[in-house]
Amino acid sequence: MIMFKLPDLPYEYDSLAPYISADIQHLHHTRHHATYVKNLNDALTSYPELQNKSIEEILTSLSTLPEEIKTVVRNNGGGHYNHSQFWQMMHPKGGGDPTGSLKNALEDQFGDIKTFKEDFSKSALKIFGSGWQWLVLENGKLTLTTTPNQDSPLTEGKIPLLGLDVWEHAYYLQYYNKRPDYIDAWWNIVHWEDVAKRLSDSHITK
Ligand code: MN
């Protein structure tokens, strides 16, 4: 049986061009994300009690998993979850600046939106090796954080609001080694409405 499924992208493969090419989107979704889903399902094959759990439940209780699948689930469950969020956090009509309560919350924490974007970008640039840059809600506060590999902020009790994949597979085909150019371009497709919804939903569930 199949437990987890590769979600469709909420737009076409070429929708985020020229900022992220159709080739990258296609490869990233059908190869990388699909492989995380397959490996996660394979790992859970012998554990029917885990197959009915949501990915969020699994990632927030990694320490309780059987030792022999813990690492595989951490890497591939995290990869599945992180990418599922990442696709939603971008939109062809994204970019610009946030508005409303998200804007206010970012200004309260970072001073202004320009500074927030600069701090986020600087931190994303500094990640050594493969990982993710995040804006998270941590103890009710907006915070910048990074995770190595496919670790998810969820596992650390943080709610992801906005995430940027800085694995080379996310940009190398188009930007080669120029991660700064990828980061600059990515701001043009940030789906602020999705980020705002995550923030308001997290307040409701708190
Ligand atoms: Mn990726």
Side-chain angles (χ1 to χ4, degrees), residues 28 32-33 36 83 86-87 132 150 165 167 169-170:
H28 204 168
H32 293 278
H33 190 169
Y36 297 127
H83 286 83
F86 185 52
W87 309 132
W132 291 76
Q150 293 297 350
D165 187 347
W167 281 56
H169 70 225

Side-chain angles (χ1 to χ4, degrees), residues 9 11 13 16 20-29 87:
L9 291 190
Y11 33 72
Y13 286 120
L16 301 183
I20 298 180
S21 72
D23 284 350
I24 287 181
Q25 285 292 95
H26 189 260
L27 193 73
H28 204 168
H29 182 247
W87 309 132

